[in-house]
């Protein structure tokens, strides 16, 4: 966990103690460091709401006619969320957790597709259980929560820390014309 994490941690397990999708929504509502963070959190909140309704439905019935439309709707929501994630700014994409979250989203989408296809269209029951769906959903949302938390930790650092993570400017613009010409000639020789 980042040093200033907003996630509360269970001292006995040293893991975040968010146990319901409602607690997740509360965490996400607090993640409003900037516009990207707000949009990301709202989108994850929509995912959590859909997930919660699918889990509740699966606990009652695994009937294809009941659950399959919800899973197809979930694919649409996941696609829109993934589009938002792919279009996040460079600070997000520079985080290690960004690629992990994208991979988790892709895996979730593939699994939903497989669950919809299992048993074929003539099957009246889905082979998907509420527990299996919930497990994958929590893993995916956990990756997203970690990404939000790490991003907010990164932007809350002291200005000195922030400046040290910025790329350094090239000194090429400070060279005199003869030095620039020598550098260009040297580069051309390297390319041969």
């Amino acid at each position: 966990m980042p040093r200033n994490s907003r996630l509360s941690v269970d001292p006995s397990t040293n893991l975040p103690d968010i146990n319901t999708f409602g607690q997740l929504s509360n965490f996400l509502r607090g993640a409003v460091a900037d516009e990207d963070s707000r949009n990301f959190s709202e989108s994850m909140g929509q995912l959590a709401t859909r997930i919660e309704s699918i889990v509740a439905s699966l606990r009652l019935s695994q009937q294809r006619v009941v659950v399959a439309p919800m899973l197809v709707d979930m694919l649409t929501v996941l696609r829109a969320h993934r589009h938002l994630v792919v279009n996040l700014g460079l600070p997000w994409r520079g985080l290690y957790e960004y690629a992990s979250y994208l991979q988790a989203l892709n895996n979730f989408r593939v699994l939903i597709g497989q669950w919809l296809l299992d048993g074929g269209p003539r099957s009246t029951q889905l082979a998907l259980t509420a527990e299996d769906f919930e497990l994958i959903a929590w893993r995916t949302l956990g990756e997203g929560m970690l990404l939000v938390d790490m991003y907010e930790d990164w932007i809350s650092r002291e200005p000195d820390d922030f400046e040290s993570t910025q790329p350094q400017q090239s000194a090429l613009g400070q060279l005199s014309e003869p030095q620039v010409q020598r550098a260009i000639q040297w580069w051309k020789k390297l390319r041969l």
Side-chain angles (χ1 to χ4, degrees):
M1 287 287 121
R3 63 178 179 232
N4 296 324
S5 175
R6 289 183 308 106
L7 291 172
S8 57
V9 176
D10 180 341
S12 64
T13 63
N14 206 25
L15 295 172
D17 65 353
I18 294 177
N19 297 310
T20 67
F21 292 105
Q23 289 173 332
L24 172 66
S25 292
N26 289 337
F27 166 77
L28 293 171
R29 273 195 288 280
V32 290
D34 59 18
E35 188 67 18
D36 278 347
S37 188
R38 186 186 62 74
N39 291 335
F40 182 88
S41 295
E42 284 177 8
S43 185
M44 272 192 68
Q46 291 172 0
L47 285 178
T49 301
R50 292 293 195 304
I51 288 166
E52 195 166 33
S53 65
I54 291 171
V55 168
S57 291
L58 282 168
R59 289 191 197 289
L60 296 174
S61 168
Q62 290 174 286
Q63 291 289 319
R64 183 176 293 278
V65 296
V66 174
V67 182
M70 296 174 83
L71 290 174
V72 170
D73 182 50
M74 183 70 187
L75 284 173
T76 302
V77 173
L78 270 171
R79 190 176 300 113
H81 179 70
R82 185 183 178 284
H83 178 74
L84 181 140
V85 171
V86 167
N87 289 306
L88 287 171
L90 285 175
W92 289 84
R93 288 184 269 153
L95 295 170
Y96 172 80
E97 293 78 12
Y98 176 83
S100 296
Y101 184 53
L102 268 181
Q103 184 66 41
L105 286 175
N106 289 335
N107 289 341
F108 196 22
R109 287 174 51 200
V110 167
L111 282 171
I112 290 173
Q114 288 175 346
W115 288 325
L116 285 167
L117 294 174
D118 282 349
R122 295 188 191 271
S123 173
T124 59
Q125 294 280 92
L126 289 173
L128 175 62
T129 65
E131 292 76 21
D132 289 342
F133 185 80
E134 194 171 27
L135 177 68
I136 300 302
W138 272 115
R139 284 183 180 168
T140 303
L141 292 176
E143 291 284 346
M145 290 169 39
L146 183 59
L147 176 59
V148 168
D149 203 41
M150 294 302 290
Y151 174 75
E152 290 193 350
D153 180 60
W154 181 78
I155 63 171
S156 70
R157 291 182 186 166
E158 296 296 321
D160 293 338
D161 291 342
F162 179 74
E163 289 171 8
S164 68
T165 63
Q166 297 300 308
Q168 298 298 314
Q169 294 292 326
S170 169
L172 187 60
Q174 298 170 1
L175 297 175
S176 66
E177 186 62 31
Q179 290 173 318
V180 170
Q181 289 305 317
R182 281 198 310 263
I184 291 171
Q185 292 302 318
W186 176 81
W187 181 251
K188 285 180 182 177
K189 286 180 187 177
L190 281 178
R191 294 181 59 202
L192 293 176

